[in-house]
Amino acid sequence: MEITKYLSNHTIINIGNNLPGYVCCEVIVDNPKKLLSILKENDCYISEIRWWHRTTIALGSTIGYGGPRDPSSPDSHYFAETDITRKFSSESTFGEYIDYLDQTKKSYSGFSLFPAFDIKKKTD
């Protein structure tokens, strides 16, 4: 599947502004592991993953800051930016991404965290 088609059908929210050389910046998708397999097919890689805490507006976030409202429930929920982040290189493997996603979710199991991906095309 073509990456832009996947993103148009599976993006929850695109938080970042696209920069030159990037396919997208800070995009949250509904199935991160599926996104990873699509990246490989499209000769792309993740340059950075930042985590966002989805929480209610009424409660706020104890691990995050301000951020955009959740498009699926804008009156009650938002995504709070956290300081949880990791950079990757074009040589990073599918396994490294998966391990990082799983370890972070496990480390913060009491929070509804969503990874946001910066995606770049690999260059020859």
Side-chain angles (χ1 to χ4, degrees), residues 44-55:
C44 295
Y45 73 99
I46 306 242
S47 64
E48 188 168 359
I49 298 175
R50 289 181 206 88
W51 291 85
W52 292 76
H53 177 208
R54 183 182 182 271
T55 188

Side-chain angles (χ1 to χ4, degrees), residues 93-119:
T93 66
F94 181 81
E96 288 176 79
Y97 297 137
I98 295 296
D99 288 347
Y100 176 66
L101 292 176
D102 292 344
Q103 289 171 8
T104 303
K105 283 280 201 177
K106 185 177 179 181
S107 296
Y108 296 90
S109 61
F111 299 94
S112 180
L113 290 183
F114 287 75
F117 302 97
D118 287 358
I119 301 170

Side-chain angles (χ1 to χ4, degrees), residues 3 20-24 36-47 88-97 118-124:
I3 187 71
Y22 286 81
V23 174
C24 61
L36 296 177
S37 66
I38 301 233
L39 292 178
K40 189 174 180 179
E41 295 171 14
N42 287 267
D43 205 29
C44 295
Y45 73 99
I46 306 242
S47 64
F88 294 88
S89 76
S90 61
E91 302 303 315
S92 296
T93 66
F94 181 81
E96 288 176 79
Y97 297 137
D118 287 358
I119 301 170
K120 294 180 99 174
K121 277 281 203 190
K122 288 185 177 181
T123 56
D124 296 327

Side-chain angles (χ1 to χ4, degrees), residues 59-87:
L59 290 178
S61 176
T62 58
I63 64 167
Y65 315 101
R69 296 204 181 206
D70 181 345
S72 68
S73 54
D75 294 334
S76 59
H77 289 82
Y78 76 104
F79 288 97
E81 183 176 16
T82 72
D83 290 330
I84 308 163
T85 185
R86 180 171 165 191
K87 293 186 183 293

